[in-house]
Amino acid sequence: MLLIFFSFAFEQNLEHSSCTYCGQCVAVCPTGALTEVDHTPDVLRALADPAKTVIVQTAPAVRAALGEEFGMEPGTLVTGKMVTALRALGFDYVFDTDFAADLTIMEEGTELLDRLNRHLKGDKTAKLPILTSCCPGWVNFFEYYYPDLKDIPSTAKSPQQMFGAIAKTYFADIIKVDRKDMVVISIMPCLAKKI
Ligand code: SF4
């Protein structure tokens, strides 16, 4: 007899539950019963495909956390080693998500100034304050629990998403690669980024 000790609220299944895909349950599950969907086989397939141009972006936290997995002091920066390893794995281009974070800041700053100016001119549609988060789990939480405030968060994409958009358009044109032959991989410190 199989005893179930938990289910989603109101006996709903996952996609109808109030799950915000934050990934915390997977992060803290002591037995590994809950685990993330592993996309490594997809990445290895793309790297092995000569017709594909495979690009990787790495979040800043990764280069400060990776070293610990190899017995280094916590916080040891392994940027050079990480980039070398990624190139050795077969990635055609290695980028740091940092520059896309600058793009996000520019977009959010522009949006804030626009809302401020319109607000000062009495435009009721110019909502303040402006809230922002690069966390999809947070965005989901906001949309599920405060749908009436959906026009408060910034409309700017997260750095990860900004990078993907720029890579598949502007950069694809620069290196003359058809975007359908380009695979963009993100190495991020948080499961929620998969959503
Ligand atoms: S992903 Fe987050 S919101 Fe969803 S069930 Fe797990 S802990 Fe709860």
Side-chain angles (χ1 to χ4, degrees):
M1 178 170 67
L2 178 66
L3 289 177
I4 301 287
F5 291 103
F6 64 84
S7 74
F8 287 98
F10 311 109
E11 308 272 329
Q12 291 175 331
N13 49 28
L14 178 60
E15 66 264 29
H16 297 120
S17 77
S18 55
C19 171
T20 60
Y21 299 91
C22 70
Q24 289 311 301
C25 52
V26 173
V28 299
C29 179
T31 64
L34 289 173
T35 181
E36 65 179 277
V37 175
D38 182 8
H39 289 105
T40 314
D42 308 312
V43 176
L44 294 174
R45 255 192 303 278
L47 289 171
D49 184 345
K52 296 291 180 193
T53 298
V54 188
I55 296 181
V56 63
Q57 62 167 313
T58 62
V62 176
R63 66 177 179 267
L66 203 53
E68 222 176 309
E69 296 303 311
F70 297 89
M72 297 177 191
E73 278 301 306
T76 305
L77 279 184
V78 293
T79 315
K81 293 181 179 65
M82 178 187 72
V83 172
T84 306
L86 290 167
R87 298 284 284 172
L89 279 170
F91 287 98
D92 300 293
Y93 297 90
V94 179
F95 287 94
D96 191 318
T97 308
D98 255 0
F99 98 91
D102 293 339
L103 297 178
T104 302
I105 292 164
M106 297 292 289
E107 287 293 322
E108 289 168 351
T110 308
E111 188 174 8
L112 173 62
L113 291 176
D114 169 61
R115 286 199 204 178
L116 270 173
N117 288 332
R118 288 191 292 122
H119 185 79
L120 293 171
K121 290 184 186 127
D123 177 347
K124 294 270 176 279
T125 65
K127 296 289 183 205
L128 292 173
I130 193 169
L131 299 180
T132 180
S133 174
C134 303
C135 170
W138 183 90
V139 174
N140 285 339
F141 178 82
F142 212 96
E143 290 179 347
Y144 291 171
Y145 290 94
Y146 302 96
D148 54 322
L149 299 176
K150 262 207 289 203
D151 49 6
I152 292 286
S154 165
T155 58
K157 286 179 186 299
S158 69
Q160 180 201 17
Q161 294 297 307
M162 283 251 185
F163 178 89
I166 295 282
K168 287 249 176 179
T169 52
Y170 179 70
F171 189 63
D173 293 346
I174 287 180
I175 61 172
K176 298 190 175 29
V177 167
D178 189 323
R179 58 185 293 168
K180 70 175 176 16
D181 298 326
M182 183 184 277
V183 179
V184 179
I185 310 292
S186 307
I187 302 180
M188 299 281 138
C190 175
L191 196 48
K193 283 296 188 184
K194 286 198 175 202
I195 197 69

Coordinates of all heavy atoms in Angstrom, one line a residue, residues 53-140:
T53 N 25.8 26.0 -34.1 CA 26.7 26.9 -33.4 C 26.2 27.0 -32.0 O 25.0 27.4 -31.8 CB 26.7 28.3 -34.1 OG1 27.1 28.2 -35.4 CG2 27.5 29.3 -33.3
V54 N 27.0 26.6 -31.0 CA 26.5 26.5 -29.6 C 27.2 27.6 -28.8 O 28.4 27.6 -28.7 CB 26.8 25.1 -29.0 CG1 26.1 25.0 -27.7 CG2 26.3 24.0 -30.0
I55 N 26.3 28.4 -28.2 CA 26.8 29.5 -27.4 C 26.4 29.3 -26.0 O 25.3 28.7 -25.7 CB 26.1 30.8 -27.9 CG1 26.5 31.1 -29.3 CG2 26.4 32.0 -27.0 CD1 25.9 32.4 -29.9
V56 N 27.3 29.7 -25.0 CA 26.9 29.5 -23.6 C 27.1 30.9 -22.9 O 28.0 31.6 -23.2 CB 27.8 28.5 -22.9 CG1 29.2 28.8 -22.9 CG2 27.3 28.2 -21.5
Q57 N 26.1 31.2 -22.0 CA 26.2 32.3 -21.2 C 26.3 31.8 -19.7 O 25.6 30.9 -19.4 CB 25.0 33.3 -21.3 CG 23.7 32.7 -20.9 CD 22.6 33.7 -20.8 OE1 22.8 34.7 -20.1 NE2 21.4 33.5 -21.4
T58 N 27.2 32.4 -18.9 CA 27.3 32.0 -17.5 C 27.0 33.1 -16.6 O 27.5 34.3 -16.8 CB 28.8 31.5 -17.2 OG1 29.7 32.6 -17.4 CG2 29.2 30.4 -18.1
A59 N 26.2 32.9 -15.6 CA 25.8 33.9 -14.7 C 27.1 34.2 -13.8 O 27.9 33.3 -13.5 CB 24.7 33.4 -13.8
P60 N 27.2 35.5 -13.3 CA 28.4 35.8 -12.5 C 28.6 34.9 -11.3 O 29.8 34.6 -11.0 CB 28.1 37.2 -12.0 CG 27.1 37.8 -13.0 CD 26.3 36.6 -13.5
A61 N 27.5 34.4 -10.7 CA 27.7 33.6 -9.5 C 28.4 32.3 -9.8 O 29.1 31.7 -8.9 CB 26.3 33.3 -8.9
V62 N 28.3 31.8 -11.0 CA 28.8 30.5 -11.3 C 30.4 30.5 -11.2 O 30.9 29.6 -10.6 CB 28.4 30.1 -12.8 CG1 29.0 28.8 -13.2 CG2 26.9 30.0 -12.9
R63 N 31.0 31.5 -11.7 CA 32.5 31.5 -11.7 C 33.0 31.7 -10.2 O 34.2 31.4 -9.9 CB 33.0 32.6 -12.6 CG 32.8 34.1 -12.1 CD 33.4 35.0 -13.1 NE 33.2 36.4 -12.8 CZ 32.2 37.1 -13.3 NH1 31.4 36.6 -14.1 NH2 32.0 38.4 -13.0
A64 N 32.1 32.1 -9.3 CA 32.5 32.2 -7.9 C 32.2 31.0 -7.1 O 32.6 30.9 -5.9 CB 31.9 33.5 -7.3
A65 N 31.3 30.1 -7.6 CA 30.9 29.0 -6.9 C 31.5 27.7 -7.4 O 31.6 26.7 -6.6 CB 29.3 28.9 -7.0
L66 N 31.9 27.6 -8.7 CA 32.3 26.4 -9.3 C 33.6 25.8 -8.6 O 33.7 24.6 -8.4 CB 32.6 26.7 -10.8 CG 32.6 25.5 -11.7 CD1 31.3 24.8 -11.7 CD2 32.8 26.1 -13.2
G67 N 34.5 26.7 -8.2 CA 35.7 26.2 -7.6 C 35.5 25.4 -6.4 O 36.3 24.4 -6.2
E68 N 34.5 25.7 -5.6 CA 34.2 24.9 -4.4 C 34.0 23.4 -4.8 O 34.3 22.5 -4.0 CB 33.0 25.5 -3.7 CG 33.1 25.6 -2.2 CD 31.8 26.3 -1.7 OE1 31.5 27.4 -2.2 OE2 31.2 25.8 -0.8
E69 N 33.3 23.2 -5.9 CA 33.1 21.8 -6.3 C 34.4 21.0 -6.6 O 34.4 19.8 -6.7 CB 32.2 21.8 -7.6 CG 30.8 22.4 -7.4 CD 30.0 21.6 -6.3 OE1 30.0 20.4 -6.3 OE2 29.5 22.3 -5.4
F70 N 35.5 21.7 -6.7 CA 36.8 21.1 -7.0 C 37.7 21.3 -5.8 O 38.9 21.3 -6.0 CB 37.4 21.7 -8.3 CG 36.6 21.4 -9.5 CD1 35.5 22.3 -9.9 CD2 36.7 20.2 -10.3 CE1 34.8 22.0 -11.0 CE2 35.9 19.9 -11.4 CZ 34.9 20.8 -11.7
G71 N 37.1 21.5 -4.6 CA 37.9 21.6 -3.4 C 38.6 22.9 -3.2 O 39.4 23.0 -2.3
M72 N 38.3 23.9 -3.9 CA 38.9 25.2 -3.7 C 38.2 26.0 -2.6 O 37.1 25.6 -2.2 CB 38.9 26.1 -5.0 CG 39.6 25.5 -6.1 SD 39.5 26.5 -7.6 CE 40.2 25.4 -8.8
E73 N 38.8 27.0 -2.1 CA 38.2 27.9 -1.0 C 36.9 28.4 -1.6 O 36.8 28.9 -2.7 CB 39.1 29.0 -0.7 CG 40.2 28.7 0.3 CD 39.6 28.2 1.6 OE1 38.8 28.9 2.2 OE2 39.9 27.0 2.0
P74 N 35.8 28.5 -0.7 CA 34.5 29.1 -1.2 C 34.8 30.5 -1.7 O 35.5 31.3 -1.1 CB 33.7 29.1 0.1 CG 34.2 28.0 0.9 CD 35.7 27.9 0.6
G75 N 34.2 30.8 -2.9 CA 34.3 32.2 -3.4 C 35.5 32.3 -4.3 O 35.8 33.4 -4.9
T76 N 36.3 31.3 -4.5 CA 37.5 31.4 -5.4 C 37.0 31.6 -6.8 O 36.2 30.9 -7.3 CB 38.3 30.1 -5.3 OG1 38.7 29.8 -4.0 CG2 39.6 30.2 -6.2
L77 N 37.5 32.7 -7.4 CA 37.1 33.0 -8.8 C 37.8 32.1 -9.8 O 39.1 32.0 -9.8 CB 37.4 34.5 -9.1 CG 36.5 35.5 -8.6 CD1 36.9 36.9 -9.1 CD2 35.0 35.2 -9.1
V78 N 37.1 31.3 -10.6 CA 37.7 30.4 -11.6 C 37.3 30.8 -13.0 O 37.1 29.9 -13.8 CB 37.3 29.0 -11.2 CG1 37.9 28.5 -9.9 CG2 35.7 28.8 -11.2
T79 N 37.2 32.0 -13.3 CA 36.7 32.5 -14.6 C 37.5 31.9 -15.7 O 36.9 31.2 -16.6 CB 36.8 34.0 -14.7 OG1 36.3 34.6 -13.5 CG2 36.0 34.5 -15.9
G80 N 38.8 32.0 -15.7 CA 39.7 31.5 -16.8 C 39.5 30.0 -16.9 O 39.4 29.5 -18.1
K81 N 39.6 29.3 -15.8 CA 39.5 27.8 -15.9 C 38.1 27.4 -16.4 O 38.0 26.5 -17.2 CB 39.7 27.2 -14.5 CG 41.0 27.4 -13.9 CD 41.1 26.8 -12.5 CE 42.5 26.9 -11.9 NZ 42.9 28.3 -11.6
M82 N 37.1 28.1 -16.0 CA 35.7 27.8 -16.5 C 35.6 28.0 -18.0 O 35.1 27.1 -18.7 CB 34.7 28.7 -15.7 CG 33.3 28.5 -16.1 SD 32.2 29.7 -15.4 CE 32.6 31.2 -16.3
V83 N 36.1 29.2 -18.5 CA 36.0 29.4 -19.9 C 36.8 28.4 -20.7 O 36.3 27.9 -21.7 CB 36.5 30.9 -20.2 CG1 36.5 31.1 -21.7 CG2 35.5 31.9 -19.5
T84 N 38.0 28.1 -20.2 CA 38.8 27.1 -20.9 C 38.1 25.7 -21.0 O 38.0 25.1 -22.0 CB 40.1 26.9 -20.2 OG1 40.7 28.2 -20.0 CG2 41.1 26.0 -20.9
A85 N 37.5 25.3 -19.8 CA 36.8 24.1 -19.8 C 35.6 24.1 -20.7 O 35.3 23.1 -21.5 CB 36.3 23.8 -18.4
L86 N 34.8 25.2 -20.8 CA 33.7 25.3 -21.7 C 34.1 25.2 -23.2 O 33.5 24.5 -24.0 CB 32.9 26.6 -21.4 CG 32.1 26.6 -20.1 CD1 31.7 28.0 -19.8 CD2 31.0 25.6 -20.1
R87 N 35.2 25.9 -23.5 CA 35.7 25.8 -24.9 C 36.2 24.4 -25.2 O 35.9 23.9 -26.3 CB 36.8 26.8 -25.0 CG 36.5 28.3 -24.8 CD 35.7 28.8 -26.0 NE 36.7 29.0 -27.1 CZ 36.3 29.4 -28.3 NH1 35.0 29.5 -28.6 NH2 37.2 29.6 -29.3
A88 N 36.8 23.7 -24.2 CA 37.3 22.4 -24.4 C 36.1 21.4 -24.6 O 36.2 20.4 -25.3 CB 38.1 21.9 -23.2
L89 N 35.0 21.7 -24.0 CA 33.8 20.9 -24.1 C 33.2 21.0 -25.6 O 32.4 20.2 -26.0 CB 32.7 21.3 -23.1 CG 32.9 20.7 -21.7 CD1 31.9 21.4 -20.8 CD2 32.6 19.2 -21.7
G90 N 33.6 22.2 -26.2 CA 33.1 22.3 -27.6 C 32.2 23.5 -27.8 O 31.7 23.7 -29.0
F91 N 32.0 24.4 -26.8 CA 31.2 25.6 -27.0 C 31.9 26.5 -28.0 O 33.1 26.7 -27.9 CB 30.9 26.3 -25.7 CG 29.9 25.5 -24.9 CD1 30.3 24.7 -23.8 CD2 28.5 25.7 -25.1 CE1 29.4 24.0 -23.1 CE2 27.6 25.0 -24.4 CZ 28.0 24.2 -23.3
D92 N 31.2 27.0 -29.0 CA 31.8 27.9 -30.0 C 32.1 29.3 -29.4 O 33.0 29.9 -29.8 CB 30.9 28.0 -31.2 CG 30.6 26.6 -31.8 OD1 31.6 26.1 -32.4 OD2 29.5 26.1 -31.7
Y93 N 31.2 29.8 -28.6 CA 31.3 31.1 -28.0 C 30.9 31.0 -26.5 O 30.0 30.4 -26.1 CB 30.4 32.1 -28.7 CG 30.8 32.3 -30.1 CD1 30.2 31.5 -31.1 CD2 31.7 33.3 -30.5 CE1 30.5 31.7 -32.5 CE2 32.0 33.4 -31.9 CZ 31.4 32.7 -32.8 OH 31.7 32.8 -34.2
V94 N 31.7 31.7 -25.6 CA 31.5 31.7 -24.2 C 31.3 33.2 -23.8 O 32.1 34.0 -24.1 CB 32.6 31.1 -23.4 CG1 32.3 31.2 -21.9 CG2 32.9 29.6 -23.8
F95 N 30.1 33.5 -23.2 CA 29.8 34.8 -22.8 C 29.5 34.9 -21.3 O 29.1 33.9 -20.7 CB 28.6 35.4 -23.5 CG 28.9 35.7 -25.0 CD1 28.6 34.8 -26.0 CD2 29.4 36.9 -25.4 CE1 28.8 35.1 -27.3 CE2 29.6 37.2 -26.7 CZ 29.3 36.3 -27.7
D96 N 29.6 36.1 -20.7 CA 29.3 36.3 -19.4 C 27.9 37.1 -19.4 O 27.8 38.0 -20.1 CB 30.3 37.2 -18.7 CG 30.1 37.3 -17.2 OD1 29.0 37.4 -16.8 OD2 31.1 37.2 -16.5
T97 N 27.0 36.6 -18.6 CA 25.6 37.2 -18.6 C 25.7 38.7 -18.1 O 24.8 39.5 -18.3 CB 24.7 36.4 -17.7 OG1 24.7 35.1 -18.1 CG2 23.3 36.9 -17.8
D98 N 26.8 39.1 -17.5 CA 27.0 40.4 -17.0 C 26.6 41.5 -18.0 O 26.0 42.5 -17.7 CB 28.5 40.6 -16.6 CG 28.7 40.6 -15.1 OD1 27.6 40.4 -14.4 OD2 29.8 40.7 -14.7
F99 N 27.1 41.4 -19.3 CA 26.8 42.5 -20.2 C 25.3 42.6 -20.5 O 24.8 43.7 -20.7 CB 27.6 42.3 -21.5 CG 26.9 41.6 -22.6 CD1 26.3 42.4 -23.6 CD2 26.8 40.3 -22.8 CE1 25.5 41.8 -24.6 CE2 26.1 39.7 -23.8 CZ 25.5 40.5 -24.7
A100 N 24.6 41.4 -20.4 CA 23.2 41.5 -20.6 C 22.5 42.1 -19.4 O 21.5 42.8 -19.5 CB 22.6 40.1 -20.9
A101 N 23.2 42.0 -18.2 CA 22.6 42.6 -17.0 C 22.7 44.2 -17.2 O 21.8 44.9 -16.8 CB 23.5 42.2 -15.8
D102 N 23.8 44.6 -17.9 CA 23.9 46.1 -18.2 C 22.7 46.5 -19.1 O 22.1 47.6 -18.9 CB 25.2 46.4 -18.8 CG 26.4 46.2 -17.9 OD1 26.1 46.2 -16.7 OD2 27.5 46.0 -18.3
L103 N 22.4 45.7 -20.1 CA 21.3 46.0 -21.0 C 20.0 46.1 -20.2 O 19.2 47.0 -20.4 CB 21.2 44.9 -22.0 CG 22.3 44.7 -23.0 CD1 22.0 43.6 -24.0 CD2 22.6 46.0 -23.8
T104 N 19.8 45.1 -19.2 CA 18.6 45.1 -18.4 C 18.5 46.4 -17.6 O 17.4 47.1 -17.5 CB 18.6 43.9 -17.5 OG1 18.6 42.7 -18.3 CG2 17.3 43.9 -16.7
I105 N 19.6 46.8 -17.0 CA 19.6 48.1 -16.2 C 19.3 49.3 -17.1 O 18.5 50.1 -16.7 CB 21.0 48.2 -15.6 CG1 21.3 47.2 -14.5 CG2 21.2 49.6 -14.9 CD1 22.7 47.0 -14.1
M106 N 19.8 49.3 -18.3 CA 19.5 50.4 -19.2 C 18.0 50.4 -19.5 O 17.4 51.5 -19.5 CB 20.3 50.3 -20.5 CG 21.8 50.3 -20.4 SD 22.4 51.9 -19.9 CE 22.1 52.8 -21.4
E107 N 17.5 49.3 -19.8 CA 16.0 49.2 -20.1 C 15.2 49.6 -18.9 O 14.2 50.4 -19.1 CB 15.7 47.7 -20.6 CG 16.2 47.4 -21.9 CD 15.5 48.1 -23.0 OE1 14.3 48.4 -23.0 OE2 16.2 48.6 -24.0
E108 N 15.5 49.1 -17.8 CA 14.7 49.4 -16.6 C 14.8 50.9 -16.2 O 13.9 51.5 -15.9 CB 15.2 48.5 -15.4 CG 14.8 47.1 -15.5 CD 15.5 46.2 -14.5 OE1 16.4 46.7 -13.8 OE2 15.2 45.0 -14.4
G109 N 16.1 51.4 -16.3 CA 16.3 52.8 -16.1 C 15.4 53.7 -17.0 O 14.8 54.7 -16.6
T110 N 15.4 53.3 -18.3 CA 14.6 54.1 -19.3 C 13.2 54.0 -18.9 O 12.4 55.0 -19.0 CB 14.9 53.5 -20.7 OG1 16.3 53.4 -20.9 CG2 14.3 54.3 -21.8
E111 N 12.7 52.8 -18.6 CA 11.3 52.6 -18.2 C 10.9 53.4 -17.0 O 9.9 54.1 -17.0 CB 11.0 51.1 -18.0 CG 9.6 50.8 -17.8 CD 9.3 49.3 -17.7 OE1 10.2 48.5 -17.6 OE2 8.1 48.9 -17.7
L112 N 11.8 53.5 -16.0 CA 11.5 54.3 -14.8 C 11.4 55.7 -15.1 O 10.4 56.4 -14.7 CB 12.7 54.1 -13.8 CG 12.6 54.9 -12.5 CD1 11.3 54.7 -11.7 CD2 13.8 54.8 -11.6
L113 N 12.3 56.3 -15.9 CA 12.3 57.7 -16.3 C 11.0 58.0 -17.0 O 10.3 59.0 -16.8 CB 13.5 58.1 -17.1 CG 14.8 58.1 -16.4 CD1 16.0 58.4 -17.3 CD2 14.8 59.1 -15.3
D114 N 10.6 57.1 -18.0 CA 9.4 57.3 -18.7 C 8.2 57.3 -17.8 O 7.3 58.2 -17.9 CB 9.2 56.1 -19.8 CG 7.9 56.1 -20.4 OD1 7.5 57.1 -21.0 OD2 7.1 55.1 -20.2
R115 N 8.1 56.3 -16.9 CA 6.9 56.3 -16.0 C 6.9 57.5 -15.1 O 5.9 58.1 -14.8 CB 7.0 55.0 -15.1 CG 6.6 53.8 -15.8 CD 6.2 52.7 -14.8 NE 6.4 51.3 -15.3 CZ 6.2 50.3 -14.6 NH1 5.8 50.4 -13.3 NH2 6.4 49.1 -15.1
L116 N 8.1 57.9 -14.6 CA 8.2 59.1 -13.7 C 7.7 60.3 -14.4 O 6.8 61.1 -13.9 CB 9.6 59.3 -13.3 CG 10.1 58.7 -12.0 CD1 11.6 58.9 -11.8 CD2 9.3 59.2 -10.8
N117 N 8.2 60.5 -15.7 CA 7.8 61.7 -16.4 C 6.3 61.7 -16.7 O 5.6 62.7 -16.5 CB 8.6 61.8 -17.8 CG 10.0 62.1 -17.5 OD1 10.3 62.8 -16.6 ND2 10.9 61.6 -18.4
R118 N 5.8 60.6 -17.1 CA 4.3 60.5 -17.4 C 3.5 60.7 -16.1 O 2.5 61.4 -16.1 CB 4.0 59.2 -18.1 CG 4.5 59.1 -19.5 CD 3.9 57.9 -20.3 NE 4.4 56.6 -19.8 CZ 3.6 55.7 -19.3 NH1 2.3 55.8 -19.2 NH2 4.2 54.5 -18.9
H119 N 4.0 60.1 -15.0 CA 3.3 60.2 -13.8 C 3.2 61.7 -13.3 O 2.2 62.2 -12.9 CB 4.1 59.4 -12.7 CG 3.4 59.3 -11.4 ND1 2.3 58.5 -11.1 CD2 3.6 60.0 -10.2 CE1 1.9 58.6 -9.9 NE2 2.7 59.5 -9.3
L120 N 4.4 62.4 -13.5 CA 4.4 63.8 -13.1 C 3.5 64.7 -14.0 O 3.0 65.7 -13.6 CB 5.8 64.3 -13.2 CG 6.8 63.7 -12.1 CD1 8.2 64.1 -12.4 CD2 6.4 64.1 -10.7
K121 N 3.2 64.2 -15.2 CA 2.3 64.9 -16.1 C 0.8 64.4 -15.9 O -0.1 64.8 -16.6 CB 2.7 64.6 -17.6 CG 4.0 65.3 -18.0 CD 4.2 65.1 -19.5 CE 5.6 65.6 -19.9 NZ 6.4 64.6 -20.5
G122 N 0.6 63.6 -14.8 CA -0.7 63.2 -14.4 C -1.3 62.0 -15.2 O -2.5 61.7 -15.1
D123 N -0.4 61.3 -15.9 CA -0.9 60.1 -16.6 C -1.1 59.0 -15.7 O -0.2 58.4 -15.1 CB 0.2 59.7 -17.7 CG -0.2 58.5 -18.4 OD1 -1.1 57.8 -18.0 OD2 0.5 58.2 -19.4
K124 N -2.4 58.6 -15.5 CA -2.8 57.6 -14.4 C -2.3 56.2 -14.8 O -2.2 55.3 -14.0 CB -4.3 57.6 -14.3 CG -4.9 58.9 -13.7 CD -4.9 58.8 -12.1 CE -5.4 60.1 -11.5 NZ -4.3 61.1 -11.4
T125 N -2.0 56.0 -16.1 CA -1.5 54.7 -16.5 C 0.0 54.5 -16.2 O 0.5 53.3 -16.2 CB -1.7 54.5 -18.0 OG1 -0.8 55.4 -18.7 CG2 -3.1 54.8 -18.5
A126 N 0.6 55.5 -15.8 CA 2.1 55.4 -15.4 C 2.2 55.0 -14.0 O 2.1 55.8 -13.0 CB 2.8 56.8 -15.6
K127 N 2.3 53.6 -13.8 CA 2.3 53.1 -12.4 C 3.6 53.2 -11.7 O 4.7 52.9 -12.3 CB 1.9 51.6 -12.5 CG 0.5 51.3 -13.1 CD -0.5 51.7 -12.1 CE -1.9 51.3 -12.7 NZ -3.0 52.1 -12.1
L128 N 3.6 53.6 -10.5 CA 4.7 53.6 -9.6 C 4.3 53.0 -8.3 O 3.2 53.0 -8.0 CB 5.2 55.1 -9.4 CG 5.8 55.8 -10.6 CD1 6.0 57.3 -10.2 CD2 7.1 55.2 -11.0
P129 N 5.3 52.4 -7.5 CA 6.7 52.3 -7.9 C 6.9 51.3 -9.0 O 5.9 50.6 -9.4 CB 7.3 51.8 -6.6 CG 6.3 50.9 -6.0 CD 5.0 51.6 -6.3
I130 N 8.1 51.1 -9.4 CA 8.4 50.1 -10.4 C 9.2 49.0 -9.7 O 10.1 49.4 -8.9 CB 9.3 50.7 -11.6 CG1 9.3 49.7 -12.8 CG2 10.6 51.2 -11.2 CD1 9.9 50.4 -14.0
L131 N 8.8 47.8 -9.8 CA 9.5 46.7 -9.1 C 10.1 45.9 -10.2 O 9.7 45.8 -11.3 CB 8.5 45.9 -8.3 CG 7.7 46.6 -7.2 CD1 6.8 45.6 -6.5 CD2 8.7 47.2 -6.2
T132 N 11.2 45.2 -9.8 CA 11.9 44.4 -10.8 C 12.5 43.2 -10.2 O 12.8 43.2 -9.0 CB 13.0 45.1 -11.6 OG1 13.5 44.2 -12.5 CG2 14.1 45.7 -10.7
S133 N 12.6 42.1 -10.9 CA 13.3 41.0 -10.5 C 13.7 40.1 -11.7 O 12.9 40.0 -12.6 CB 12.4 40.1 -9.5 OG 13.1 38.9 -9.2
C134 N 14.9 39.6 -11.6 CA 15.3 38.7 -12.7 C 14.9 37.3 -12.4 O 15.3 36.3 -13.1 CB 16.8 38.8 -12.8 SG 17.3 40.5 -13.1
C135 N 14.1 37.1 -11.3 CA 13.7 35.7 -10.9 C 12.3 35.4 -11.5 O 11.3 36.0 -11.1 CB 13.7 35.6 -9.4 SG 12.9 34.0 -8.8
P136 N 12.3 34.3 -12.4 CA 11.0 33.9 -12.9 C 10.0 33.5 -11.8 O 8.8 33.7 -12.0 CB 11.3 32.8 -13.8 CG 12.8 32.9 -14.1 CD 13.4 33.5 -12.9
G137 N 10.5 32.9 -10.7 CA 9.7 32.4 -9.7 C 8.9 33.6 -9.0 O 7.7 33.6 -8.7
W138 N 9.7 34.7 -8.9 CA 9.1 35.9 -8.3 C 8.0 36.5 -9.3 O 6.9 36.9 -8.8 CB 10.2 37.0 -8.1 CG 9.7 38.2 -7.5 CD1 9.7 38.5 -6.1 CD2 9.3 39.4 -8.1 NE1 9.2 39.8 -5.9 CE2 9.0 40.4 -7.2 CE3 9.1 39.8 -9.5 CZ2 8.5 41.7 -7.5 CZ3 8.6 41.1 -9.8 CH2 8.3 42.0 -8.8
V139 N 8.4 36.5 -10.5 CA 7.4 37.0 -11.5 C 6.1 36.2 -11.5 O 5.0 36.7 -11.5 CB 8.0 37.1 -12.9 CG1 7.0 37.5 -14.0 CG2 9.2 38.0 -13.0
N140 N 6.3 34.9 -11.4 CA 5.1 34.0 -11.3 C 4.3 34.3 -10.1 O 3.1 34.4 -10.1 CB 5.6 32.5 -11.3 CG 6.0 32.0 -12.7 OD1 5.6 32.6 -13.7 ND2 6.8 31.0 -12.7

